[in-house]
């Protein structure tokens, strides 16, 4: 097939043709030879070994067993008619079953002969069986060597199967394509890296990932391809980081002035934790260099990120700059605004709130105050991003819950000032290390890994519906002590109608159990007008109501230290980080707090694991790791950023070591050759310049 290469359209592959090409494009986005080559198997059927019958397990994939057929016969009538065989080896006995092709199978199988069978074992009534196994007479002379391999399994779809492109069909295409194209595949990593990291060449890796002849070959191929994926992401991220520090001049915050000092000595209501102090020091160092700061601040719920953000903003003010703080929801923006006002007290710092519901007139005044410099801090939702919002001298942008903001949105904030503002990005809950290194690899990372002293760990319980009365009783006890209670219901788009019904039923139930005038209930959900939400919220904040029934709108930010109980209804339907966020709404004061997870008896395995994890630990970092394993990185990062997580093979929950290796290697390379001008790094330079299309990452924090 001369003249053909990786970029040849897929229809030119022997055995494809226009029709198949069409479904391949539509179903799998395979347009070129290269796309097919990188359509990797998603698992392998292990034909490298034989299993003994007593080694079978219910969760094994299809496996090979060598044994003797000792009986064969039809049982059942009409539709339940089937052919059943007894199959033994020296460790046990199992059943083989056929529902179709019964007559033909019965004729062709020989009782008393030794067969190599292949199929998925299932456990039924304490005995293993296989349905429709592949049967092959065992020939000791031939040793059935042809079967000793790992067979690739490719993802396919119903549509593809109609065109004979099931896993076997795709395998045939790969068999046509790979053996000759593997030689055409260019090496992407310099030889010195292959050597130092013990990686096999790319072409060979592609060949072996599709057709491994043993486990070692497969592992070497996977390692090579995974490493490459992770390596190039890090190369790009760290290159951008280097560019930022070299290219962009940042505000120089070299003064710790009166505002900061007065706040620190007179207004700070508590001593800072060691972790908060450390992070502030890191920020001080960053903003002291004359380069732009791009820092990610990670910390668990309640670890005290807000005060760190405020003190950084005061630093900006002391150095003649303005600051803004952006939150993903209106409620959270309001909450921040109020807590900042509260912390500031009578310090001469002006703070204002801007959100979607800010009236036009007020908005105009805000704009003016920003432009003439009389406004120091602006808190808001993404209304802040709008072009009409211009600052006199914006020196710092704090972004809370950053994963909800799109890359483009953040870039706009950068451009609000001729000298780009320092960026402090805060996560709502911790994110796993690997994900942080990948998603925010171009940011410096600070971690608050310590909760303020005196916090009592929240006690978490999982209760079933049958314990509801007990739960109500507990609520009454806590309310009698003067505490407040949250009750949260899921409200999920896909099942919104049903969820709203549950919410209504739940509210009815609660008003019956907790009647006026003794009890008062606030109700807040996403369908309400912002004004009404705010009103209900404030009633709870002020302690006028004891119970707050809400959907996940309260997920982030709400701060009511007197609330000690968080009840989560249908807890199995929430994601782990969501549950952890919700739990973080309590335990904010000095009292012992509780989180009660209510669920039905029917739980999926994942659901069970989520609830168990919540009961087991309060540690947000540990929860984040489990969440990553359960959900995969794409979901956690959100759709906005899944682009850079376009990993085909590498898995951020299991390939931590490889990622760290790749990152260290890249760090070393840039240290030694920051412009990648050395001849040995030519391939890397080429790779980066090819990538320089689309979004300009170096403009984004
Ligand atoms: P988060 O990191 O979740 O944003 P917050 O900044 O909202 O946490 O802080 C949670 C609560 O802890 C607030 O009420 C805050 O005033 C309080 N807090 C913060 N830092 C300390 C500290 N060092 N000592 C005691 N309380 C603190
Ligand atoms: Mg917060």
């Amino acid at each position: 097939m001369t003249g053909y290469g990786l970029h040849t359209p897929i229809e030119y592959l022997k055995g494809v043709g226009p029709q198949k090409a069409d479904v391949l494009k539509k179903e799998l986005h395979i347009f070129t030879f290269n796309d097919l080559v990188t359509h990797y198997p998603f698992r392998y059927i292990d034909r490298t070994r034989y299993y003994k019958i007593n080694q079978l397990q219910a969760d094994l994939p299809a496996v090979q067993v060598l044994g003797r057929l000792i009986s064969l016969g039809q049982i059942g009538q009409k539709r339940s008619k089937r052919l059943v065989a007894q199959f033994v080896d020296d460790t046990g006995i199992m059943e083989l079953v056929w529902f179709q092709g019964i007559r033909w199978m019965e004729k062709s199988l020989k009782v008393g002969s030794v067969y190599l069978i292949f199929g998925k074992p299932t456990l039924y009534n304490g005995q293993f069986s296989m349905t429709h196994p592949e049967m092959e007479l065992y020939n000791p002379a031939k040793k059935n060597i042809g079967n000793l391999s790992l067979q690739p399994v490719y993802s396919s779809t119903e549509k593809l199967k109609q065109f004979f492109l099931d896993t076997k069909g795709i395998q045939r295409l790969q068999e046509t394509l790979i053996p000759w194209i593997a030689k055409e595949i260019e090496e992407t990593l310099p030889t010195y890296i292959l050597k130092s990291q013990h990686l096999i060449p790319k072409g060979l890796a592609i060949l072996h990932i599709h057709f491994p002849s043993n486990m070692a070959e497969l592992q070497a191929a996977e390692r090579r391809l995974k490493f490459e994926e992770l390596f190039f992401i890090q190369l790009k991220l760290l290159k951008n980081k280097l560019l930022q520090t070299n290219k962009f001049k940042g505000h120089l915050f070299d003064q710790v002035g009166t505002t900061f000092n007065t706040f620190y000595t007179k207004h700070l209501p508590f001593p800072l934790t060691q972790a908060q102090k450390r992070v502030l020091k890191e920020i001080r160092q960053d903003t002291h260099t004359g380069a732009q700061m791009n820092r990610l601040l990670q910390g668990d719920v309640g670890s005290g990120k807000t005060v760190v953000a405020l003190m950084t903003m005061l630093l900006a003010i002391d150095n003649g700059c303005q600051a803004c703080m952006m939150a993903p929801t209106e409620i959270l923006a309001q909450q921040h605004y109020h807590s900042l006002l509260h912390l500031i007290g009578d310090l001469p710092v002006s703070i204002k709130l801007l959100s979607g519901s800010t009236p036009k007139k007020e908005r105009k005044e805000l704009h003016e105050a920003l432009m003439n410099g009389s406004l120091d801090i602006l808190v808001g939702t993404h209304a802040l991003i709008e072009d009409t919002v211009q600052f006199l001298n914006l020196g710092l942008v704090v972004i809370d819950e950053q994963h909800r903001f799109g890359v483009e949105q953040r870039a706009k904030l950068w451009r609000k000032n001729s000298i780009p503002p320092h960026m402090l990005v805060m996560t709502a809950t911790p994110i796993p290390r690997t994900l942080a290194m990948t998603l925010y690899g171009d940011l410096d990372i600070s971690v608050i890994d310590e909760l303020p002293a005196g916090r009592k760990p929240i006690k978490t319980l999982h209760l079933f519906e049958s314990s509801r009365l007990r739960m109500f009783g507990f609520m009454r006890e806590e309310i009698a002590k003067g505490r407040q209670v949250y009750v949260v219901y899921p409200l999920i788009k896909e099942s919104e109608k049903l969820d709203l019904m549950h919410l209504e039923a739940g509210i009815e139930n609660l008003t019956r159990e907790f009647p006026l005038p003794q009890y008062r209930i606030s109700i807040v959900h996403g369908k309400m007008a912002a004004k009404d939400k705010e009103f209900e919220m404030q009633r709870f904040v002020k302690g006028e109501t004891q119970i707050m029934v809400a959907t996940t709108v309260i997920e982030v930010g709400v701060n009511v230290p007197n609330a000690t109980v968080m009840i989560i209804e249908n807890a199995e339907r929430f994601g782990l980080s969501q549950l952890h966020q919700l739990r973080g709404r309590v335990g904010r004061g000095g009292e012992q707090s509780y989180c009660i997870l209510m669920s039905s008896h029917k739980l999926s395995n994942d659901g069970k694991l989520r609830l168990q994890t919540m009961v087991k630990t309060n540690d947000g970092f540990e929860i984040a790791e489990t969440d990553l394993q359960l959900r995969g990185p794409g979901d956690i990062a959100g759709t906005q950023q899944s682009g850079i997580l376009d990993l085909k093979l590498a898995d951020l929950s299991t390939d931590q070591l490889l990622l760290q290796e790749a990152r260290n290697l890249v760090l070393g390379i840039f240290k030694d050759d920051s412009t990648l001008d050395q001849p040995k790094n030519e391939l890397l330079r080429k790779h980066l310049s090819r990538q320089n299309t689309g979004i300009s990452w170096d403009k984004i924090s």
Side-chain angles (χ1 to χ4, degrees):
M1 295 175 82
T2 49
Y4 288 20
L6 284 164
H7 296 291
T8 304
I10 195 67
E11 45 264 55
Y12 291 95
L13 183 64
K14 202 167 139 251
V16 175
Q19 263 196 333
K20 282 188 181 174
D22 213 41
V23 280
L24 281 171
K25 287 174 197 173
K26 284 208 181 99
E27 298 285 302
L28 295 176
H29 300 286
I30 293 177
F31 293 88
T32 63
F33 285 8
N34 189 53
D35 294 336
L36 182 63
V37 164
T38 54
H39 183 58
Y40 301 130
F42 72 94
R43 67 181 176 91
Y44 299 82
I45 294 172
D46 188 355
R47 302 197 84 157
T48 58
R49 58 170 285 196
Y50 303 142
Y51 279 76
K52 292 286 187 191
I53 291 176
N54 71 354
Q55 294 171 327
L56 294 179
Q57 277 164 11
D59 56 358
L60 280 175
V63 296
Q64 297 187 116
V65 184
L66 192 62
R68 191 181 298 279
L69 199 71
I70 57 166
S71 79
L72 187 68
Q74 294 186 25
I75 59 172
Q77 293 296 319
K78 290 197 179 148
R79 298 206 24 236
S80 69
K81 189 153 85 177
R82 57 199 189 274
L83 179 66
V84 176
Q86 305 287 330
F87 188 73
V88 297
D89 68 5
D90 52 359
T91 70
I93 182 163
M94 67 188 290
E95 239 174 41
L96 313 179
V97 186
W98 291 264
F99 297 96
Q100 275 152 19
I102 291 178
R103 254 197 294 159
W104 189 81
M105 279 312 292
E106 190 170 20
K107 258 205 303 218
S108 57
L109 291 176
K110 295 191 195 88
V111 173
S113 298
V114 174
Y115 283 89
L116 181 62
I117 68 168
F118 177 72
K120 181 165 171 38
T122 47
L123 187 59
Y124 184 71
N125 275 347
Q127 197 186 31
F128 278 101
S129 63
M130 274 182 199
T131 311
H132 288 231
E134 287 175 28
M135 306 288 294
E136 191 175 339
L137 263 178
Y138 181 63
N139 180 347
K142 222 178 93 194
K143 277 212 171 142
N144 298 61
I145 268 174
N147 284 340
L148 288 180
S149 70
L150 288 159
Q151 286 188 353
V153 181
Y154 295 93
S155 59
S156 179
T157 63
E158 280 312 310
K159 193 85 205 268
L160 282 161
K161 283 175 192 162
Q162 287 167 22
F163 291 85
F164 305 103
L165 291 171
D166 54 2
T167 178
K168 277 263 155 57
I170 293 172
Q171 196 183 324
R172 271 193 292 275
L173 294 185
Q174 301 285 22
E175 275 164 3
T176 316
L177 178 62
I178 304 269
W180 69 267
I181 203 113
K183 296 180 212 87
E184 310 265 312
I185 292 171
E186 275 177 46
E187 184 51 66
T188 47
L189 294 172
T191 319
Y192 80 93
I193 292 182
L194 294 185
K195 278 214 183 105
S196 72
Q197 305 304 119
H198 308 287
L199 298 168
I200 61 171
K202 177 143 188 179
L204 193 63
I206 293 281
L207 184 67
H208 285 173
I209 193 115
H210 289 283
F211 305 111
S213 49
N214 57 52
M215 209 45 107
E217 248 179 42
L218 175 61
Q219 279 163 348
E222 277 182 348
R223 185 163 175 279
R224 148 75 211 217
L225 295 171
K226 282 176 175 184
F227 187 88
E228 170 170 342
E229 285 180 358
L230 299 169
F231 176 83
F232 282 121
I233 290 177
Q234 291 301 321
L235 191 72
K236 205 159 108 184
L237 286 168
L238 291 169
K239 176 78 195 170
N240 289 339
K241 185 162 176 236
L242 208 66
L243 276 178
Q244 280 172 5
T245 21
N246 291 347
K247 204 159 71 186
F248 295 106
K249 220 172 109 253
H251 294 278
L252 185 62
F253 292 172
D254 54 359
Q255 310 261 351
V256 178
T258 29
T259 331
F260 187 98
N261 280 330
T262 314
F263 177 78
Y264 189 69
T265 49
K266 301 233 173 78
H267 289 75
L268 194 62
F270 36 67
L272 293 177
T273 62
Q274 287 309 314
Q276 284 170 321
K277 282 187 194 160
R278 188 185 64 236
V279 169
L280 273 169
K281 208 179 267 170
E282 285 164 354
I283 291 171
R284 280 272 296 135
Q285 275 161 5
D286 264 12
T287 52
H288 210 99
T289 59
Q292 189 210 15
M293 169 174 82
N294 279 283
R295 190 164 277 281
L296 176 73
L297 175 53
Q298 282 219 63
D300 209 344
V301 198
S303 61
K305 296 184 285 287
T306 316
V307 72
V308 172
L310 172 64
M311 291 177 75
T312 311
M313 291 195 275
L314 297 183
L315 194 61
I317 292 168
D318 276 342
N319 287 274
C321 291
Q322 293 160 300
C324 71
M325 182 167 187
M326 193 161 77
T329 65
E330 181 129 4
I331 290 183
L332 184 57
Q334 276 166 7
Q335 188 85 43
H336 276 318
Y337 173 64
H338 292 299
S339 31
L340 292 183
L341 278 183
H342 181 75
L343 283 166
I344 283 289
D346 59 1
L347 262 186
V349 170
S350 69
I351 309 183
K352 285 275 188 290
L353 175 70
L354 174 67
S355 74
S357 59
T358 307
K360 224 178 177 167
K361 182 163 159 281
E362 207 177 303
R363 207 174 267 244
K364 226 179 122 227
E365 287 163 15
L366 270 178
H367 290 169
E368 278 170 24
L370 283 176
M371 279 310 280
N372 68 29
S374 60
L375 182 55
D376 299 314
I377 296 177
L378 181 64
V379 182
T381 55
H382 22 300
L384 291 190
I385 297 177
E386 285 164 22
D387 289 334
T388 48
V389 182
Q390 293 293 331
F391 296 78
L392 179 63
N393 190 20
L394 180 63
L396 170 72
V397 175
V398 178
I399 302 180
D400 199 4
E401 338 279 4
Q402 98 112 32
H403 59 292
R404 303 199 183 189
F405 284 107
V407 159
E408 275 303 308
Q409 291 174 308
R410 275 183 282 136
K412 279 193 175 161
L413 283 163
W414 260 70
R415 294 186 210 109
K416 291 223 181 263
N417 218 61
S418 56
I419 298 178
H422 295 301
M423 305 290 279
L424 182 66
V425 168
M426 306 196 291
T427 59
T429 46
I431 48 177
R433 238 173 75 76
T434 51
L435 205 56
M437 270 200 280
T438 312
L439 278 178
Y440 311 112
D442 55 345
L443 307 188
D444 294 300
I445 300 182
S446 287
V447 181
I448 305 187
D449 49 6
E450 180 189 356
L451 293 181
R455 292 271 172 84
K456 297 197 179 79
I458 300 163
K459 290 192 179 144
T460 303
L461 268 75
H462 172 204
L463 295 182
F464 293 109
E465 198 48 44
S466 45
S467 308
R468 182 164 291 278
L469 290 181
R470 210 178 113 206
M471 186 268 274
F472 284 146
F474 181 67
M475 279 174 71
R476 276 189 206 99
E477 281 171 30
E478 284 292 302
I479 293 173
K481 286 189 214 157
R483 312 279 141 67
Q484 290 165 286
V485 179
Y486 292 101
V487 183
V488 177
Y489 282 83
L491 184 57
I492 294 160
K493 271 223 177 69
E494 293 81 59
S495 50
E496 198 170 39
K497 267 206 181 125
L498 202 67
D499 283 347
L500 281 171
M501 262 171 56
H502 286 153
L503 176 68
E504 272 169 30
I507 291 170
E508 238 183 84
N509 205 3
L510 278 168
T511 40
R512 219 176 308 123
E513 294 286 334
F514 298 90
L516 287 163
Q518 190 183 357
Y519 299 102
R520 284 176 308 274
I521 303 180
S522 287
I523 298 169
V524 176
H525 59 79
K527 301 253 124 176
M528 290 163 61
K531 192 164 94 290
D532 300 337
K533 268 192 262 183
E534 173 62 13
F535 177 76
E536 288 286 305
M537 208 73 121
Q538 284 309 323
R539 287 208 310 150
F540 189 69
V541 172
K542 288 186 203 139
E544 293 168 12
T545 56
Q546 301 105 328
I547 300 173
M548 155 78 85
V549 183
T551 53
T552 34
V553 285
I554 65 144
E555 182 183 335
V556 282
V558 186
N559 192 16
V560 182
N562 189 47
T564 53
V565 184
M566 166 61 68
I567 289 161
I568 305 176
E569 297 282 354
N570 291 120
E572 74 275 20
R573 295 185 49 209
F574 289 91
L576 255 180
S577 70
Q578 237 180 343
L579 289 171
H580 183 62
Q581 264 288 320
L582 286 169
R583 176 166 61 184
R585 297 309 101 206
V586 295
R588 300 190 149 229
E591 306 298 337
Q592 176 64 55
S593 290
Y594 305 86
C595 174
I596 301 180
L597 307 167
M598 299 296 295
S599 85
S600 66
H601 281 277
K602 266 194 232 144
L603 288 176
S604 68
N605 283 342
D606 276 11
K608 210 179 291 173
L609 192 62
R610 285 197 296 269
L611 299 185
Q612 280 168 356
T613 307
M614 286 295 293
V615 171
K616 192 181 83 186
T617 181
N618 271 312
D619 179 346
F621 284 92
E622 190 182 334
I623 287 170
E625 291 291 344
T626 310
D627 200 27
L628 177 61
Q629 280 160 24
L630 285 175
R631 282 200 299 163
D635 269 359
I636 295 184
T639 44
Q640 300 277 17
Q641 290 171 337
S642 54
I644 46 171
L645 286 177
D646 204 3
L647 298 167
K648 280 180 184 282
L649 287 171
D651 177 344
L652 293 181
S653 61
T654 51
D655 294 323
Q656 292 189 26
L657 282 177
L658 208 58
L659 173 59
Q660 190 65 61
E661 249 176 70
R663 189 169 170 94
N664 290 345
L665 182 66
V666 174
L667 283 169
I669 291 170
F670 280 131
K671 204 164 172 200
D672 166 54
D673 180 16
S674 66
T675 46
L676 301 181
D677 280 334
Q678 292 178 17
K680 68 174 185 180
N681 288 326
E682 196 189 333
L683 275 176
L684 305 182
R685 200 173 58 243
K686 261 197 202 156
H687 178 91
L688 281 179
S689 62
R690 255 203 314 274
Q691 297 265 309
N692 267 345
T693 49
I695 305 170
S696 159
W697 284 89
D698 56 332
K699 282 276 177 197
I700 292 161
S701 73

